[in-house]
Amino acid sequence: MTRTLPELGVGIVYIPGLEPLLEPGSTCVDFLEIEPQTLWQYQPGGELSYVLPDYTLRHLQALPQRKLVHSVGNALGGTHQPDTAFAAALAATIQTLDAPWASEHLSITQVSSAQAGFHTSFMLPSLQTPEGVNVAAATIRRLSEQLPVPLAVETGVNYLQPRADDMPDGEFFAAAVEAADCGIVLDLHNIWTNEQNGRQSARDFLASIPLERVWEVHLGGGFEHEGYWLDAHSGAVPGPVLALTEEILPYLPHVKAITYEIFPAFIPLFGLEAIQAQLQDIHSLWSTRHTSTPPPAYIRTAATHVVSTPQHKANPITPVLWEQTLGELVTHGEITGPLAEQLRQDPGIELMQKLIWKFRAGAIVKNLGTLTRLIMIHAGDSHLETLLDGYFRQTKPRAFASEECNGFLCYLHKAALTVPYLEDIIRFEEASMQALATQENQYIHFRYDPRALLEAILRGELPDHLESGAYELEIPPPAIAEVDAMHQGKVPRE
């Protein structure tokens, strides 16, 4: 497989707030990796169901760096075939931003079902069997055929313990990308995370995959949590991952980019100066890519590396059964059967349940901040957690934060809560989301003085007494500087 791709250098995943590092003339960031689902607005029924808003597009185009497109919500490791609406929107974003290649994950984020498929809100591992290879390769090829540029797939995180019927991690990944004839985004923190959590060692993984297919390297940080190392994109790249990068980078003959990843919530904690220092360290690593030193013993060159075709073995676990069972378990669904009983014994299931809960709750609290604050002021944090738990157990995750928030608002309507001022605040939140989606002013009626009410909630108080009346509140769309676009529909990797 030969691709003529431009060399981009060192980049970072785009997040609003990084602009001080992106000014013209800056040597810190060579390119920006755009995660389209974090910026799209979901508009079902239109010519395109997923739209990159004009104000966001203008802002991105004004930034001087080249752009890459890295999809984060329609992973390609399962039976779910990317629908035409998603593929069309992704292709349009790629063309608009002039991205030289695109990428997605070799994981599962959507579960196919004869009754009703659902989104997992989390990157789940694929079934690592020969049949799983065939399914993943077909899904990758299906999306690749609909895109105007070459496609690469990313090495994922797997919090489950190795199973007796698993192909080794590297062997499975290599077989899938060879069968799909695609590129690789080599996330070194991901494969190191897998090693820390008891799966294949990172170096054994690297020894198994076709290094000549690597176009891009990802680096990020993580932390320990309940006995696991999480791929959390939390700041500093661990020292062993930097050492692994220095070791492998000279032996990636077609690598064109190296991307640093950090989640929005960690930027205030880590700081722009620390991010800049990380990027400088990565630039130093990038400069070693053309050095020619004797390779470590585990590295195989393209001339000596052979990916074997996995042999089919009778296995009662099909890719459909795997993803339906795993998806139901991590989203608290009701499912029975031998596979469900096996997976329930794996502590990784409980970990993923908790991480999905935290992610969904974070999206709601971030986007419905006034409402959730009102509930906490009135009845305490535990009451909000109980409401969120009830909603999550009743409703599957949604792909976009706007859908998740609307679902929670509907749940509250049906719950008939006795929270003061609740109806006014729900209308306020609905109108605020609509203003963001349409970029048009919204007007709503309040039964109480909206300024006094909203200011009191912001202070963490409930007003002693507000006179009822007829008030109208105008809600303008937020300015681009105020739009935390990363919470429009982010799907976590960890």
Side-chain angles (χ1 to χ4, degrees):
M1 180 196 65
T2 302
R3 302 284 191 186
T4 303
L5 300 173
E7 189 167 276
L8 299 186
V10 175
I12 191 169
V13 171
Y14 172 72
I15 302 166
L18 293 177
E19 279 72 13
L21 304 179
L22 309 179
E23 295 175 353
S26 170
T27 59
C28 185
V29 179
D30 298 323
F31 70 91
L32 296 172
E33 186 147 271
I34 309 302
E35 297 178 337
Q37 287 89 340
T38 69
L39 302 172
W40 284 343
Q41 289 174 354
Y42 179 56
Q43 298 179 357
E47 183 176 349
L48 286 177
S49 297
Y50 313 101
V51 177
L52 188 63
D54 288 341
Y55 65 89
T56 302
L57 175 59
R58 290 193 300 270
H59 183 68
L60 291 176
Q61 290 176 327
L63 298 172
Q65 290 79 14
R66 287 289 304 266
K67 314 297 188 302
L68 276 180
V69 172
H70 180 56
S71 177
V72 294
N74 286 263
L76 304 174
T79 63
H80 176 82
Q81 295 289 316
D83 61 45
T84 54
F86 162 74
L90 185 61
T93 301
I94 290 166
Q95 291 177 315
T96 300
L97 297 176
D98 192 27
W101 69 86
S103 55
E104 241 298 357
H105 298 75
L106 190 66
S107 303
I108 296 169
T109 50
Q110 298 193 65
V111 173
S112 298
S113 171
Q115 289 74 38
F118 60 91
H119 203 278
T120 62
S121 192
F122 199 82
M123 299 283 183
L124 302 179
S126 302
L127 176 64
Q128 293 186 187
T129 65
E131 190 176 356
V133 168
N134 292 337
V135 165
T139 304
I140 296 166
R141 288 195 300 268
R142 169 71 179 273
L143 179 61
S144 183
E145 291 166 357
Q146 300 177 76
L147 299 183
V149 296
L151 178 67
V153 294
E154 181 177 335
T155 54
V157 173
N158 189 344
Y159 291 113
L160 298 177
Q161 293 303 298
R163 294 170 49 83
D165 55 359
D166 273 351
M167 295 169 61
D169 294 353
E171 183 181 332
F172 169 77
F173 186 84
V177 297
E178 289 283 14
D181 191 23
C182 65
I184 294 174
V185 175
L186 177 60
D187 193 315
L188 289 170
H189 187 265
N190 281 2
I191 63 172
W192 183 79
T193 293
N194 290 341
E195 176 181 343
Q196 302 313 297
N197 294 329
R199 297 193 66 84
Q200 186 179 39
S201 77
R203 287 174 175 80
D204 284 348
F205 184 97
L206 292 171
S208 302
I209 67 171
L211 299 179
E212 69 276 9
R213 287 185 178 272
V214 176
W215 302 342
E216 182 181 352
V217 170
H218 276 189
L219 296 175
F223 53 79
E224 290 186 17
H225 176 73
E226 297 186 0
Y228 286 83
W229 183 267
L230 299 186
D231 174 51
H233 300 179
S234 54
V237 181
V241 177
L242 292 174
L244 186 64
T245 307
E246 185 175 16
E247 194 174 286
I248 194 66
L249 201 59
Y251 307 101
L252 305 178
H254 299 130
V255 67
K256 305 298 182 181
I258 186 166
T259 306
Y260 172 66
E261 299 180 290
I262 187 169
F263 278 166
F266 293 106
I267 290 179
L269 301 173
F270 196 54
L272 290 180
E273 289 186 4
I275 292 173
Q276 187 169 17
Q278 280 284 278
L279 291 168
Q280 289 169 347
D281 290 343
I282 294 171
H283 272 285
S284 296
L285 289 172
W286 181 244
S287 67
T288 69
R289 67 196 180 283
H290 294 314
T291 58
S292 55
T293 57
Y298 69 86
I299 293 178
R300 306 177 192 178
T301 64
T304 61
H305 187 270
V306 177
V307 176
S308 60
T309 301
Q311 299 301 309
H312 282 276
K313 299 178 182 179
N315 192 327
I317 302 173
T318 66
V320 170
L321 176 62
W322 171 262
E323 66 190 40
Q324 289 180 352
T325 302
L326 184 57
E328 290 288 353
L329 287 175
V330 299
T331 58
H332 299 285
E334 296 182 2
I335 191 163
T336 59
L339 178 58
E341 294 310 309
Q342 293 171 21
L343 288 174
R344 281 193 179 96
Q345 305 308 310
D346 192 316
I349 294 294
E350 183 179 1
L351 174 73
M352 289 187 283
Q353 288 174 343
K354 292 178 179 179
L355 293 176
I356 291 171
W357 195 102
K358 289 181 178 180
F359 174 72
R360 297 182 72 185
I364 289 172
V365 171
K366 175 67 180 180
N367 290 279
L368 300 177
T370 304
L371 171 66
T372 53
R373 183 185 290 261
L374 171 65
I375 294 171
M376 288 188 289
I377 293 169
H378 173 69
D381 295 7
S382 61
H383 185 59
L384 176 61
E385 291 175 3
T386 299
L387 290 171
L388 290 170
D389 193 58
Y391 169 61
F392 296 156
R393 289 182 179 276
Q394 186 181 102
T395 310
K396 294 297 186 188
R398 309 295 180 89
F400 284 80
S402 58
E403 296 178 284
E404 194 78 89
C405 291
N406 284 327
F408 185 59
L409 292 176
C410 290
Y411 176 79
L412 293 183
H413 276 302
K414 295 177 182 178
L417 303 178
T418 55
V419 178
Y421 313 112
L422 182 64
E423 291 183 12
D424 283 332
I425 296 304
I426 286 179
R427 283 197 299 273
F428 169 76
E429 296 286 24
E430 290 172 336
S432 297
M433 289 194 296
Q434 187 69 9
L436 174 61
T438 64
Q439 285 296 290
E440 296 177 353
N441 290 358
Q442 302 295 310
Y443 300 88
I444 59 172
H445 295 288
F446 262 62
R447 293 178 299 170
Y448 304 95
D449 181 352
R451 182 181 296 276
L453 176 56
L454 294 172
E455 288 179 352
I457 294 173
L458 185 62
R459 293 193 303 269
E461 304 171 356
L462 281 180
D464 291 334
H465 178 69
L466 288 179
E467 294 288 343
S468 62
Y471 299 89
E472 184 177 73
L473 179 65
E474 178 183 1
I475 302 177
I480 181 63
E482 299 170 348
V483 177
D484 186 353
M486 295 304 293
H487 292 275
Q488 293 300 308
K490 178 74 173 176
V491 176
R493 305 169 188 79
E494 75 282 2

